[in-house]
Amino acid sequence: MSSPEIASLSWGQMKVKGCSTTYKDCKVWPGGSRTWDWRETGTNHSPGVQPADLEEVVKKGVKTVVIGRGMSEALQVPPSTVDYLKKNGIDVLVLQTEKAVEEYNALAARGVKVGGVFHSTC
């Protein structure tokens, strides 16, 4: 199963190829995507992305996770989150969201089992 292409990104809006939903923040993995609802894990800009935000994506058997920190990189990613991924044998890229989407799409196009979490505003 391949990772779906992120078809478009603009402030506050993301579309994933093959999905009719427009996301504000989203999670993607080989074969699927869904809204990334920060309330599920109590996520805020600081301290930022928690391992709990990534568990669902990790369970999909990804080899790489791309984290989009927002258009202005306001979303933090603590070292404990990066360590969590590395301990699970997963490569991680933490980037400004536009760059994160570019990297994610490039990896997906090469057939890499890539997943991601993306914040489309600040």
Side-chain angles (χ1 to χ4, degrees), residues 36 38 43-45 48-49 68-70 73-77 119 122:
W36 177 19
W38 291 14
T43 296
N44 285 299
H45 287 101
V49 183
R69 293 188 50 211
E73 298 184 89
L75 179 61
Q76 301 300 303
V77 181
H119 179 44
C122 46

Side-chain angles (χ1 to χ4, degrees), residues 9-69:
L9 167 69
S10 60
W11 183 274
Q13 294 187 31
M14 296 183 71
K15 292 200 71 68
V16 175
K17 193 171 186 176
C19 178
S20 60
T21 304
T22 299
Y23 300 113
K24 176 178 171 269
D25 299 317
C26 75
K27 295 182 178 190
V28 290
W29 58 81
S33 65
R34 78 170 182 93
T35 294
W36 177 19
D37 183 349
W38 291 14
R39 292 172 296 194
E40 292 173 1
T41 56
T43 296
N44 285 299
H45 287 101
S46 181
V49 183
Q50 305 301 305
D53 293 310
L54 300 167
E55 284 174 358
E56 178 180 17
V57 174
V58 167
K59 287 178 183 170
K60 303 294 184 181
V62 297
K63 301 295 178 212
T64 303
V65 168
V66 181
I67 300 172
R69 293 188 50 211

